Amino acid sequence: MEEFLQRAQAKLNKSKCLEKVHVVLGNKSCDLDSLISTLAYAYFLDKVSPPDVLCLPVLNIPRRDFSYFTETRFILEELNIPESFHIFRDEINLHQLNAEGKLSLTLVNSNMLTSEDKSLESAVVKVINPDEQCDGSLELQASSSSVVVKEILQEAPELITQQLAYLLRGERLLFILNTERFNGVFLNLLMQKECDPFFG
């Protein structure tokens, strides 16, 4: 993951030379589910997209605000992913990329753009919205990361590294604790079935 993020940042600095940029944009709340889904899906796209497409995970907040997101920062620090590796919304000009015809957008956790981003609607190619995609079962409810990991496991399971599995597990455990839905069925179906093979 670190190598991917470093490479993405380096290529972003040369964006004037790029023909296509696919941005995975998290939501404004920048909660742990949104951040992990953004990182994981951009990583997945980077591996399966043509080499002339730059795939970027973008956190939808200014860099200066990230210090307030303590639970998110804790998980990333545990996995040795430095804050400096992330790309924040104030560090990339999406409107310019869109005007140049270079931008594709995947939205995470929301199918709505803010009023100042309405002009980017034409660039949206995918929306990861768990409220629309879940099947009503408990293990998929209200989690974009569950939707993302399901797609990765279906399309390219070899991309689920141990580090990515820990990221996804960390989000699920926090979700369970925060919503008081800690039960064996929920934990086993999502964590053991999908992620445990990568912890052996």
Side-chain angles (χ1 to χ4, degrees), residues 115-131:
S115 57
E116 61 266 29
D117 287 337
K118 283 296 182 182
S119 63
L120 300 177
E121 285 184 343
S122 60
V124 176
V125 296
K126 185 180 180 67
V127 176
I128 299 172
N129 187 342
D131 293 334

Side-chain angles (χ1 to χ4, degrees), residues 103-152:
L103 182 66
S104 297
L105 263 182
T106 291
L107 303 180
V108 174
N109 272 131
S110 175
N111 57 5
M112 297 288 292
L113 288 165
T114 59
S115 57
E116 61 266 29
D117 287 337
K118 283 296 182 182
S119 63
L120 300 177
E121 285 184 343
S122 60
V124 176
V125 296
K126 185 180 180 67
V127 176
I128 299 172
N129 187 342
D131 293 334
E132 295 180 355
Q133 298 185 43
C134 79
D135 61 3
S137 59
L138 184 58
E139 70 270 17
L140 289 179
Q141 192 171 5
S143 171
S144 291
S145 59
S146 296
V147 176
V148 168
V149 74
K150 184 176 180 181
E151 181 171 345
I152 296 176

Side-chain angles (χ1 to χ4, degrees), residues 161-192:
T161 62
Q162 186 179 58
Q163 185 185 51
L164 187 55
Y166 270 114
L167 268 175
L168 293 162
R169 171 174 280 194
E171 185 282 324
R172 288 287 74 206
L173 291 175
L174 187 64
F175 172 78
I176 294 166
L177 293 173
N178 284 346
T179 57
E180 299 181 351
R181 288 177 178 172
F182 191 93
N183 62 75
V185 174
F186 186 55
L187 186 61
N188 290 333
L189 281 176
L190 188 60
M191 294 296 102
Q192 293 181 8

